[in-house]
Amino acid sequence: MRALLNFILRNHFFFVFLSLMMVSFWMLIEQNSFQRAAFINSSNSVTGGVYGTWTNITSYFYLSEDIRMLQEENARLRSLVQMGKGINEEAPVTVIDSASGFQYIYQPATVVSNSLNQRSNFMTLSVGSDEGIGEDMGVVNSKGIVGIVKSVSGHYAAAMSMLHKDTKISARFKRTGYIGVVQWNGEDPQIFTMVDVPLPAEIQKGDTVVTSGASAIFPKGLMVGTVLEHEVIPGDNFYTVTVRSAVDFGNLSHVYIVRNLHQEEQLQLQQSVINSEDTR
């Protein structure tokens, strides 16, 4: 023990330097979105491989729960496929949204790692660019929306969770059709806040909140959560709505990445409209 203390005392300048360097590196990554994204992208393959090995080991202890979740997801996917043609359950599932005309492909993936206790939570998924996954693709499971892919490597993807301070999703009330923006309140992982809901909206406790289809990321009608309560801040013209998430973010194992095959076309059209308005 004395030898250990002597070693630390002799090299205390080195340990102080190492500690300061680690703190500086953490602050750089935490406070700068560009450096954070670059760090996540470069570390995907390394962390993905480590977490993948750990997941393979621990998955044996949760086989019964995984089977139950897979059965629920297969039931959901079967309900989405309305055509009576043969269904290959091992292949990605294609869904046509007849309301908007967009075509979506659901790519199965496994959650390799997932954080809950940060203001900016990410998850690592088991598919990457080699499987056709790219940035700004939606992530869902059998219960509802989960997040958005922000960075990919060959075999892994880093997704920004719904439990991220910068995640904002266009959503609507299924019963009335009124639209608002859903974001995490930064505290309870099961509670979202829906803002920008106009006062004429009729809101009831228990109302279902789903994706609006206004973005190029998620199809219309995917589950977000249910209303717990709502209020109007004095002097404001909009409701602030508390929504309980349909997804249990502490128990994520199997998800689907949503590819909108017409995403680029939709974004280009929206941008052209914005540019034309700016020139007026």
Side-chain angles (χ1 to χ4, degrees), residues 119-170:
R119 280 285 293 162
S120 303
N121 292 292
F122 282 86
M123 61 187 68
T124 302
L125 308 177
S126 64
V127 292
S129 58
D130 287 357
E131 290 79 24
I133 305 304
E135 296 180 5
D136 295 327
M137 292 184 179
V139 183
V140 302
N141 71 355
S142 62
K143 302 296 183 182
I145 61 173
V146 174
I148 302 172
V149 174
K150 301 308 294 182
S151 181
V152 295
S153 61
H155 300 96
Y156 296 95
M160 187 168 67
S161 168
M162 282 293 294
L163 308 182
H164 191 291
K165 61 182 179 64
D166 295 331
T167 303
K168 296 181 180 180
I169 302 297
S170 176

Side-chain angles (χ1 to χ4, degrees), residues 262-278:
H262 297 168
Q263 184 181 58
E264 184 176 354
E265 177 184 351
Q266 182 181 357
L267 293 176
Q268 289 179 350
L269 178 61
Q270 292 173 345
Q271 188 60 48
S272 67
V273 172
I274 294 174
N275 291 340
S276 64
E277 290 294 325
D278 291 341

Side-chain angles (χ1 to χ4, degrees), residues 38-100:
F39 174 78
I40 291 172
N41 186 49
S42 63
S43 62
N44 272 346
S45 296
V46 177
T47 58
V50 173
Y51 281 122
T53 301
W54 177 249
T55 299
N56 289 335
I57 295 173
T58 58
S59 62
Y60 287 104
F61 299 97
Y62 299 94
L63 284 178
S64 60
E65 179 66 14
D66 286 347
I67 290 173
R68 183 187 66 80
M69 293 182 64
L70 285 172
Q71 288 173 337
E72 290 180 356
E73 298 214 40
N74 283 336
R76 180 183 69 86
L77 291 173
R78 285 179 181 274
S79 69
L80 289 172
V81 180
Q82 300 298 321
M83 300 176 64
K85 300 178 180 178
I87 300 174
N88 179 0
E89 295 187 2
E90 296 182 355
V93 178
T94 302
V95 178
I96 304 295
D97 184 341
S98 59
S100 63

Side-chain angles (χ1 to χ4, degrees), residues 11-30:
N11 299 277
H12 68 280
F13 287 110
F14 171 77
F15 289 116
V16 171
F17 169 77
L18 184 62
S19 299
L20 291 175
M21 183 175 67
M22 293 176 65
V23 171
S24 299
F25 183 75
W26 176 83
M27 292 180 64
L28 176 66
I29 297 299
E30 183 66 20

Side-chain angles (χ1 to χ4, degrees), residues 71-255:
Q71 288 173 337
E72 290 180 356
E73 298 214 40
N74 283 336
R76 180 183 69 86
L77 291 173
R78 285 179 181 274
S79 69
L80 289 172
V81 180
Q82 300 298 321
M83 300 176 64
K85 300 178 180 178
I87 300 174
N88 179 0
E89 295 187 2
E90 296 182 355
V93 178
T94 302
V95 178
I96 304 295
D97 184 341
S98 59
S100 63
F102 295 149
Q103 183 173 356
Y104 300 89
I105 292 179
Y106 288 75
Q107 174 71 47
T110 299
V111 177
V112 177
S113 67
N114 179 35
S115 66
L116 297 174
N117 58 354
Q118 308 292 327
R119 280 285 293 162
S120 303
N121 292 292
F122 282 86
M123 61 187 68
T124 302
L125 308 177
S126 64
V127 292
S129 58
D130 287 357
E131 290 79 24
I133 305 304
E135 296 180 5
D136 295 327
M137 292 184 179
V139 183
V140 302
N141 71 355
S142 62
K143 302 296 183 182
I145 61 173
V146 174
I148 302 172
V149 174
K150 301 308 294 182
S151 181
V152 295
S153 61
H155 300 96
Y156 296 95
M160 187 168 67
S161 168
M162 282 293 294
L163 308 182
H164 191 291
K165 61 182 179 64
D166 295 331
T167 303
K168 296 181 180 180
I169 302 297
S170 176
R172 66 180 180 88
F173 296 100
K174 187 175 182 179
R175 183 174 61 87
T176 63
Y178 278 95
I179 291 178
V181 176
V182 171
Q183 58 194 43
W184 184 40
N185 67 1
E187 299 175 359
D188 190 330
Q190 291 301 115
I191 303 300
F192 297 152
T193 300
M194 188 173 182
V195 297
D196 297 339
V197 180
L199 289 183
E202 178 188 345
I203 305 173
Q204 297 178 2
K205 183 177 181 179
D207 274 350
T208 300
V209 179
V210 297
T211 52
S212 68
S215 75
I217 297 176
F218 294 104
K220 181 179 180 180
L222 295 182
M223 187 68 174
V224 177
T226 54
V227 173
L228 290 178
E229 59 184 10
H230 63 282
E231 63 177 349
V232 179
I233 299 176
D236 202 348
N237 294 319
F238 298 91
Y239 286 110
T240 296
V241 185
T242 302
V243 178
R244 177 176 293 278
S245 171
V247 173
D248 182 358
F249 287 91
N251 186 26
L252 286 178
S253 179
H254 301 283
V255 296

